[in-house]
Amino acid sequence: MDEAQWDVQEVKHLKKIQLVQGNLAMLLLFLLLVYFADSGRHSIIIGIFFVLMWIVLAITLYTLKTGRPVGTKTSKRVQEFDKDRLGEKRWRRNRIIEAAGISIVGVGIAILLFVVDFSSARLDSPSYHFPFIGAWVGYNIGEIIRISSL
């Protein structure tokens, strides 16, 4: 489908739905983060992020290889719109950059998970909250800007 054939208002609505879904997922992740940080299970927190990063990488690579989006109906429609809007070449380049970035972060988390001795390390649990909240706020600002620029 050509970008001119897309209903921009529908895409904006779908992106808003996707933003709400993303915020619900971030809220769940944040609650898990707080629970495990307060109970002193820091290796579980790092492990959760490790697993999530590799799941996201697998989905990204699958989408890159097959060209078919993965996710909810809303997510699939938004990804199809973005692919049409960017064009095949630019879309593919963005997915490759995304996969490389996720891989680097995933390897960093793996190193952290296997190198740091969490039983002897004393970590203050509120220190986990601020970077996560900052990323959450940044995610929302970025999505709102992308929605308003359509």
Side-chain angles (χ1 to χ4, degrees):
M1 185 182 279
D2 189 344
E3 181 184 354
Q5 295 175 345
W6 287 92
D7 180 10
V8 176
Q9 292 305 317
E10 177 192 2
V11 173
K12 281 186 176 186
H13 178 71
L14 293 174
K15 284 186 176 258
K16 288 175 186 174
I17 290 171
Q18 195 174 24
L19 180 62
V20 170
Q21 291 172 342
N23 276 301
L24 289 173
M26 293 286 268
L27 178 62
L28 176 65
L29 193 58
F30 183 73
L31 292 174
L32 284 171
L33 174 76
V34 169
Y35 173 75
F36 288 121
D38 287 345
S39 64
R41 297 180 180 154
H42 305 292
S43 60
I44 292 177
I45 294 169
I46 303 298
I48 288 171
F49 283 112
F50 176 75
V51 170
L52 287 175
M53 291 305 294
W54 290 106
I55 289 171
V56 170
L57 178 63
I59 291 170
T60 302
L61 290 175
Y62 175 81
T63 302
L64 182 63
K65 177 110 173 108
T66 64
R68 293 186 312 219
V70 176
T72 62
K73 272 188 189 180
T74 301
S75 175
K76 288 178 183 180
R77 292 275 295 158
V78 168
Q79 289 179 58
E80 289 169 0
F81 171 77
D82 288 339
K83 187 175 181 180
D84 280 351
R85 191 184 58 155
L86 293 173
E88 180 72 28
K89 186 176 180 181
R90 190 169 164 203
W91 175 85
R92 182 168 294 283
R93 185 180 66 227
N94 286 354
R95 295 293 80 77
I96 291 170
I97 292 169
E98 180 182 351
I102 293 169
S103 297
I104 291 168
V105 171
V107 167
I109 291 173
I111 291 169
L112 183 66
L113 185 61
F114 296 113
V115 170
V116 175
D117 181 19
F118 290 100
S119 61
S120 67
R122 175 70 183 122
L123 300 172
D124 188 23
S125 62
S127 66
Y128 281 110
H129 303 117
F130 296 117
F132 190 89
I133 291 170
W136 196 350
V137 169
Y139 162 73
N140 278 287
I141 291 171
E143 287 300 314
I144 290 168
I145 289 170
R146 282 187 279 282
I147 290 169
S148 64
S149 70
L150 287 179

